[in-house]
């Protein structure tokens, strides 16, 4: 774990392998992105809902979805099992 145990460690990840590595080093949560197309990174290819759901399925720590998220995506995100959504410009 790259920080003290009394600190909360989050990791920004972009695929299942990165998310698994974050969990292995002791991250308390991960953010997976971009799930959907986003205005802040228009040239980045989104991973899509299926790949994001796969991350949730394989991790034992909270997962937040980022990338093109709006409040209308929250219910779907929670049904998949993720902890919630995050956004740069949506909120």
């Amino acid at each position: 774990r790259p920080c003290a145990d009394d600190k909360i460690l989050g990791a920004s990840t972009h695929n299942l392998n990165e998310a698994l590595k974050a969990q292995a080093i002791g991250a308390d949560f991960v953010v997976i992105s971009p799930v959907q197309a986003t205005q802040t990174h228009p040239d980045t290819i989104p991973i899509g809902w299926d790949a994001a759901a796969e991350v949730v399925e394989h991790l034992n720590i909270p997962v937040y979805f980022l990338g093109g998220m709006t409040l209308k995506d929250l219910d779907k995100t929670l049904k998949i099992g993720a902890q919630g959504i995050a956004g740069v410009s949506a909120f």
Side-chain angles (χ1 to χ4, degrees):
R1 184 175 164 96
C3 66
D5 287 341
D6 66 338
K7 305 295 183 199
I8 296 174
L9 176 61
S12 177
T13 64
H14 303 94
N15 57 52
L16 178 58
N17 288 336
E18 290 178 2
L20 288 169
K21 183 173 182 180
Q23 179 174 267
I25 66 167
D28 296 299
F29 71 92
V30 299
V31 177
I32 185 77
S33 71
V35 176
Q36 303 183 104
T38 175
Q39 293 179 359
T40 56
H41 298 88
D43 297 328
T44 303
I45 299 170
I47 65 166
W49 288 98
D50 291 340
E54 185 178 20
V55 171
V56 173
E57 181 181 324
H58 285 87
L59 268 63
N60 297 315
I61 58 175
V63 177
Y64 292 87
F65 291 176
L66 177 66
M69 295 289 112
T70 67
L71 286 178
K72 68 180 177 141
D73 298 308
L74 182 57
D75 284 339
K76 182 175 184 175
T77 299
L78 296 175
K79 286 179 184 173
I80 289 171
Q83 193 69 26
I85 58 176
V88 172
S89 58
F91 307 102

